[in-house]
Amino acid sequence: MSIKFDGEIDVPEKAILIIDDNVLAKLPLGTTGESITAHGASNWTRTARLRTRLTDGSAKSFFLKVSFGQRGKEMMSGELASMTAICTATPNFAPVPIAWGTYSSDPNIHSFLCSFHEMLTESPDIQPFCASVAALHRNGKSPAGKYGFPVCTFQGNLPQDNTWTNTWEEFYVQGLKRMFQLEKEAQEFSLELEELLTPLYEKVVPRLLRPLETGGRSIEPALVDADLWHGNAATDLTTNKPIVFDACCFYAHNEYELGTWRHAINGFGERYIISTIPSARQWRIDDRDIRRLVDKYPGGYEEWHEMHSKDEVYEGTGFSE
């Protein structure tokens, strides 16, 4: 399965036709550049294979991703932070990040450099892949015990609001507000959508998420890839192990990772979900998936409220009335 993108990539092609001095400077001292060729595909950046020669005479390739402008600069910084976090939590589950930086030949061109891997670009085998995802969530501990991330990371070319929060509900609403604001900037104003947002933020999300962290219940923020779909996962042909890339990490409730796997456009599905170590809090996990929620309650919020407003789990949340 593939997604066709017809937009222009806002990065000059020359960025992957030259080996910039600042890129070479990030590599081991004495490394010489031999060639650079386009490699892979990206909707928002240009990507290349950089072939080099090390001081011992051996050949070594690196993967180079190139972006443009201020947004592109922040994208490269965020990707380095994301891939570093993944490799720290689960070594060998992602290419080893090396550096990000700005071209000496053009201050508007920015790059991210990491190890190069030959990949089988199909969905990886379920069991080893899901075990690695579970290990990422288990080992990736939030340094402050909060939800968020130290830097801005990008869902594609969209900046996420990773400001630290104390609860999953706060962080989730914060993220929704950022994405709807970006939608508003990109599309025409929609009165219907605007009228739906307040009850979404103040009623729907709190009713689904607040019980996870009240009444003696708690969630431990986990590191999530946050853009983990079949197009960002593969099998390393050298190790025959799963590998992920293009992450936009933050610390979240780990079930966030699985939500997109149910979408028809995603090559992952139920088999991958049930093979991943489940969330510690299984209460109404399907209801926290919006698509499933709509299918399950065709009468909308009123039907859901009628069925669940008296649930014991809402005690102490302000929603038991």
Side-chain angles (χ1 to χ4, degrees):
M1 185 184 300
S2 63
I3 300 173
K4 186 175 181 179
F5 177 75
D6 295 321
E8 288 292 325
I9 298 176
D10 189 24
V11 184
E13 189 176 2
K14 70 174 184 178
I16 56 170
L17 296 178
I18 62 171
I19 302 176
D20 190 80
D21 289 343
N22 281 355
V23 172
L24 279 179
K26 305 295 184 182
L27 300 177
L29 186 64
T31 299
T32 57
E34 296 200 329
S35 68
I36 184 170
T37 53
H39 183 88
S42 171
N43 291 344
W44 321 112
T45 62
R46 293 194 185 273
T47 54
R49 178 175 185 171
L50 173 60
R51 289 180 170 87
T52 72
R53 186 73 57 179
L54 304 182
T55 54
D56 63 4
S58 62
K60 189 173 182 63
S61 290
F62 298 91
F63 182 79
L64 183 70
K65 177 180 286 189
V66 181
S67 62
F68 190 80
Q70 182 59 34
R71 176 172 293 196
K73 182 178 182 179
E74 294 177 13
M75 287 168 63
M76 299 299 94
S77 170
E79 183 153 358
L80 178 70
S82 292
M83 303 308 282
T84 299
I86 290 177
C87 285
T88 299
T90 49
N92 305 316
F93 191 39
V96 177
I98 297 172
W100 80 274
T102 299
Y103 271 29
S104 62
S105 56
D106 188 332
N108 292 309
I109 298 177
H110 313 284
S111 65
F112 166 72
L113 190 65
C114 66
S115 57
F116 182 85
H117 300 258
E118 294 281 8
M119 302 178 188
L120 176 64
T121 54
E122 298 176 358
S123 295
D125 290 344
I126 293 177
Q127 291 302 329
F129 174 73
C130 293
S132 294
V133 173
L136 174 66
H137 298 164
R138 185 171 58 251
N139 298 337
K141 308 292 187 184
S142 172
K146 296 185 176 184
Y147 301 90
F149 204 62
V151 300
C152 177
T153 53
F154 286 71
Q155 180 76 245
N157 67 344
L158 301 177
Q160 301 178 140
D161 187 348
N162 291 336
T163 304
W164 295 106
T165 68
N166 292 315
T167 70
W168 175 227
E169 178 190 331
E170 288 177 282
F171 186 77
Y172 195 84
V173 169
Q174 173 178 283
L176 282 177
K177 288 182 176 179
R178 165 60 62 84
M179 291 304 163
F180 279 120
Q181 178 59 38
L182 293 172
E183 176 72 8
K184 186 187 302 183
E185 293 171 2
Q187 308 293 338
E188 293 182 359
F189 174 81
S190 169
L191 178 60
E192 180 182 13
L193 178 60
E194 287 297 313
E195 291 175 342
L196 290 171
L197 291 182
T198 296
L200 173 65
Y201 300 147
E202 297 181 1
K203 293 184 178 181
V204 177
V205 174
R207 283 183 179 273
L208 294 176
L209 301 187
R210 190 170 300 173
L212 297 171
E213 297 180 278
T214 54
R217 293 171 291 270
S218 63
I219 305 170
E220 184 176 10
L223 181 68
V224 296
D225 176 295
D227 193 15
L228 194 51
W229 64 294
H230 73 279
N232 287 347
T235 299
D236 186 316
L237 289 177
T238 299
T239 65
N240 202 35
K241 293 181 178 180
I243 191 167
V244 298
F245 43 91
D246 291 350
C248 53
C249 291
F250 49 76
Y251 293 95
H253 184 6
N254 68 330
E255 75 179 27
Y256 177 92
E257 199 90 272
L258 311 183
T260 59
W261 292 10
R262 286 176 165 145
H263 198 287
I265 205 171
N266 201 320
F268 301 141
E270 291 295 331
R271 293 184 304 156
Y272 283 82
I273 293 173
I274 63 177
S275 296
T276 304
I277 296 176
S279 165
R281 302 298 182 197
Q282 287 300 299
W283 178 81
R284 256 176 228 119
I285 188 171
D286 281 348
D287 286 0
R288 294 194 292 278
D289 182 283
I290 295 297
R291 182 174 63 84
R292 293 253 177 142
L293 183 63
V294 172
D295 292 342
K296 189 173 180 181
Y297 303 100
Y301 172 77
E302 290 77 10
E303 180 181 352
W304 189 95
H305 177 268
E306 178 67 25
M307 293 179 65
H308 298 298
S309 62
K310 300 298 183 182
D311 284 3
E312 199 174 289
V313 73
Y314 288 119
E315 292 183 2
T317 67
F319 292 119
S320 59
E321 67 277 358

